[in-house]
Amino acid sequence: MSDLLDFMSNIPWWGWVLIFLLLVAIRDIFFQKAHTISHNYPIVGHLRYWLESIGPEMRQYFVANNREELPFNRIERSWIYASAKKENNYEGFGTDRDIYEHQHIFINNAMMPFKINENHPNTIDKSFLPCAKVMGAYNKRKRPYRPKSVINVSAMSFGSLSAKAVESLNKGIKMADAYHNTGEGGLSPYHSHGGDVVFHFGTGYFGVRSKDGSFSMEKMIKLVEENPFIRAIEIKLSQGAKPGKGGVLPGAKITKEIAQIRGVEVGKDVLSPPNHKAFSNVPELLVFIEDIAEATGLPVGIKAAIGKLGEWEELANLMLKTGKGPDFITIDGGEGGTGAAPPSFADHVSLPWVYGFSDLYRLFKNKDLTERLVFIGSGKLGFPAKAAMAFAMGVDCINVAREAMLSIGCIQAQICHTNRCPSGVATQSKWLQNGIDRTLKSVRLAQYFQTFKKELIEITHAAGYEHPCQFKMTDIEMNVDDHNLSKELSRAYMYNKTPVPFTNMQSLKDCVYLGGSNPNQI
């Protein structure tokens, strides 16, 4: 034994390297059967798989130009990063974007920009930009809600995002006077750091789930009573990443904390089916909405990606007939989002946001129902020019998900579904989460929102308006081919949005419902 140890101790370091490589080669040739490349090219074949694994990162930094990446190109990411860090987000020497490309947006500026006086709310606060409509006003809910910000955090669950990421977002939206959508994973302690919350649930009913997996009104009432910062409730019918498809949360990912929040069993797979148990058709959905609104007093809305319009028309007709209905509708784009999905769904199922929203808004406008609803857009709208276009089309608020993730450190590694997110944003790994400084990241989210609102206000003033809700379809043009073929939005999508009742910004600041306050509450 001592002779063997002496022999091993005399082997130089490079000898150990050769021995290791020999063992790998033997394993590649004689034992592993899964990879042909490794069998045919032992040792060096592993290099191919390693290079493939880091391909997206390498293309991001060294191959792709500033404008060609998806879902967000380098210029878009850099603008969010700089805005979040309060760095210089300007560009010099003119735009490097091809302004003649298909679907390029042009905002028609006024000869005389809108002028604000010294006492105007935007003189005092350059990022003051609340929603011009009140959720729940038409339906006379007990606790109407006017969001303080037109940009808010979209539905992203604790479980999909890390605890530190969710906490950073919630602390940030408090600073930015925005709201935080919980996502369908339920209300967690990390959503409870002072920001307004929209409670969102889907077919799994997590957080308001009975033992048999159905919806529990008792739990919903208790949740709202115990958490007065919940300002509205959103029922998810579908999402842009995978409309019409349920999901499975593997038992291995269900910790004791997640199980308690979601109302499920530790270590047991949980199915989110594609269909709701609480309703099976449009009339039942309408009853469900009204029951929740009556029980909680909160505005209740629905979220969906848009495809076929038949059932939406049925909903609109029922709203006309009954005088009831959702208080808001969140329209998600088929561009996909933070939810993991098969490529066949992410790439092909449901319409892109601009098509889906225009189809749905036109349907409700033709029935004179748009004034009843707050329309929320969700689908890569977290940039001021895109938001201006969305407001011209009829949006009242926008929700951002991936843009918010970028502001707190996401690097678009596109491995959210693997639990190996290198930035700690979309993983449950404690080690990877340790890189997130919640105090710093919350400030960055707030600064991104404040910069977004400031620049959107400046664009709005340049167009001659005080609030983005005043944008008309004729204020925005979009390239079709050349300028002689470019179309105003009203011609491209064949409708004009309904004018939003708006007096001035001061009236929004003075609104008794701003931020969910209620003068009738004790």
Side-chain angles (χ1 to χ4, degrees), residues 134-141 233-235 237 282-283 285-291 293 298-303 312 314-320 322-330 360 364 369-375:
V134 177
M135 292 180 181
Y138 177 86
N139 290 315
K140 296 181 173 58
R141 306 303 188 198
I233 296 166
E234 184 175 79
I235 304 165
L237 304 180
V282 174
L285 168 62
L286 197 64
V287 171
F288 187 57
I289 290 169
E290 292 300 320
D291 286 347
L298 295 177
V300 179
I302 54 179
K303 173 183 178 177
W312 289 101
E314 183 181 358
L315 174 62
N317 290 334
L318 277 172
M319 290 171 66
L320 282 174
T322 63
K324 300 176 180 180
D327 299 293
F328 62 94
I329 299 178
T330 302
L360 192 71
F364 281 93
L369 289 169
T370 51
E371 293 183 44
R372 295 190 190 186
L373 293 158
V374 172
F375 288 96

Side-chain angles (χ1 to χ4, degrees), residues 496-509:
N496 281 293
K497 83 168 210 185
T498 306
V500 175
F502 174 75
T503 306
N504 53 46
M505 199 73 83
Q506 187 65 48
S507 67
L508 302 186
K509 188 175 182 179

Side-chain angles (χ1 to χ4, degrees), residues 163-277:
K164 288 189 176 182
V166 174
E167 183 176 332
S168 299
L169 293 172
N170 193 261
K171 289 179 175 178
I173 61 103
K174 181 183 179 183
M175 288 183 265
D177 287 329
Y179 67 69
H180 188 179
N181 191 306
T182 63
E184 65 178 309
L187 182 73
S188 73
Y190 312 108
H191 291 103
S192 310
H193 290 275
D196 287 353
V197 164
V198 172
F199 179 75
H200 169 110
F201 67 89
T203 57
Y205 304 117
F206 302 126
V208 287
R209 176 186 176 100
S210 61
K211 287 186 177 180
D212 65 355
S214 59
F215 174 77
S216 170
M217 185 65 80
E218 290 75 20
K219 287 189 176 181
M220 174 65 81
I221 294 169
K222 183 180 179 183
L223 185 77
V224 171
E225 288 177 347
E226 292 179 350
N227 301 282
F229 52 83
I230 296 177
R231 304 299 189 183
I233 296 166
E234 184 175 79
I235 304 165
K236 188 188 87 168
L237 304 180
S238 61
Q239 67 182 88
K242 47 184 174 181
K245 178 177 171 57
V248 176
L249 186 65
K253 294 188 70 175
I254 301 177
T255 63
K256 184 177 180 180
E257 182 181 36
I258 291 175
Q260 185 177 4
I261 291 166
R262 298 198 177 201
V264 298
E265 296 181 39
V266 177
K268 186 176 180 180
D269 290 355
V270 177
L271 172 68
S272 294
N275 300 97
H276 277 266
K277 290 183 178 180

Side-chain angles (χ1 to χ4, degrees), residues 7 24 38 40 141 234 316 343 348 350 389 494:
F7 173 74
V24 171
S38 296
N40 294 345
R141 306 303 188 198
E234 184 175 79
H348 300 290
S350 88
M389 177 197 71
M494 304 302 291

Side-chain angles (χ1 to χ4, degrees), residues 27-40 48-49:
R27 176 258 182 195
D28 288 345
I29 297 170
F30 298 106
F31 294 99
Q32 73 84 25
K33 305 294 183 182
H35 302 293
T36 304
I37 296 296
S38 296
H39 176 275
N40 294 345
R48 181 260 184 196
Y49 297 106

